[in-house]
Amino acid sequence: MSLDPLPKYRFLVTLDPGDAYLPAAQALLLPLAASGAFQEVTGLGAQLEVTSYAEGGRNDSVHQLPLRHSWNRITLKRGVVRDPGLWSWYQAGLADSLGARRDGAVIVLGPDGVPGAAWAFHGGLAAKWTGPDLHAEQNAIAVESLEIAHEGLTKVLQDAAASALPRLIQGR
């Protein structure tokens, strides 16, 4: 196992179908959210809200007490394609937020293409879709973005990520 830092330009994003959250008959009616070739993923993170509590008679420090934990939204960006996968997922959430929930993962690959780190998110909901900024004087790719609000991240061990990669690629 190499101790070199992983490059940030080699990664995969997987989005599972929403059938884990619905009865089977309803799950068949939902379009699958497409995994895609994303150019950018941001928002892998969390924070713990704390409050300061000054104890009477103690003047050298203030206690820091935890209140609640929250997860950042994960933002996926990619070039606009004709496949309406991300837009369809967002629209499904407008009609039925339970049925539009999906699990997924962000997998960072090493220089040799082997997964080096992975984070799985749970109960993801397409919370914000942003269309491309268009400009007639620029020769650039039209980019759409999708923000995913989720109920938690799990750091997946390297061995588990490496063994899951062939299954993830074949299933897409």
Side-chain angles (χ1 to χ4, degrees):
M1 178 164 64
S2 175
L3 297 178
D4 294 334
L6 294 168
K8 69 179 194 174
Y9 59 86
R10 294 191 77 181
F11 59 90
L12 297 172
V13 177
T14 66
L15 299 173
D16 296 342
D19 57 1
Y21 297 92
L22 283 178
Q26 291 178 352
L28 294 174
L29 300 175
L30 287 177
L32 295 178
S35 291
F38 295 97
Q39 69 185 46
E40 185 178 341
V41 176
T42 59
L44 291 173
Q47 56 274 343
L48 178 64
E49 185 181 341
V50 297
T51 186
S52 300
Y53 176 75
E55 181 180 354
R58 185 171 180 189
N59 297 328
D60 62 339
S61 67
V62 175
H63 295 287
Q64 301 296 318
L65 304 176
L67 291 179
R68 68 188 54 85
H69 183 263
S70 62
W71 299 99
N72 296 348
R73 288 183 175 187
I74 297 171
T75 302
L76 306 176
K77 292 185 180 181
R78 73 172 185 183
V80 174
V81 294
R82 289 184 172 92
D83 171 31
L86 297 181
W87 174 251
S88 295
W89 184 22
Y90 177 73
Q91 279 190 312
L94 296 176
D96 179 17
S97 62
L98 182 63
R101 291 191 180 275
R102 288 172 165 65
D103 296 339
V106 177
I107 304 168
V108 181
L109 304 174
D112 54 359
V114 174
W119 294 267
F121 63 87
H122 313 285
L125 189 62
K128 180 180 179 182
W129 177 85
T130 304
D133 293 331
L134 305 173
H135 194 289
E137 295 178 355
Q138 292 180 353
N139 183 14
I141 299 294
V143 175
E144 67 179 334
S145 68
L146 183 79
E147 287 185 21
I148 302 171
H150 57 91
E151 297 177 351
L153 279 175
T154 303
K155 172 85 168 159
V156 181
L157 298 176
Q158 179 181 352
D159 294 339
S163 66
L165 183 61
R167 179 181 54 81
L168 294 171
I169 292 173
Q170 288 174 357
R172 303 291 173 218

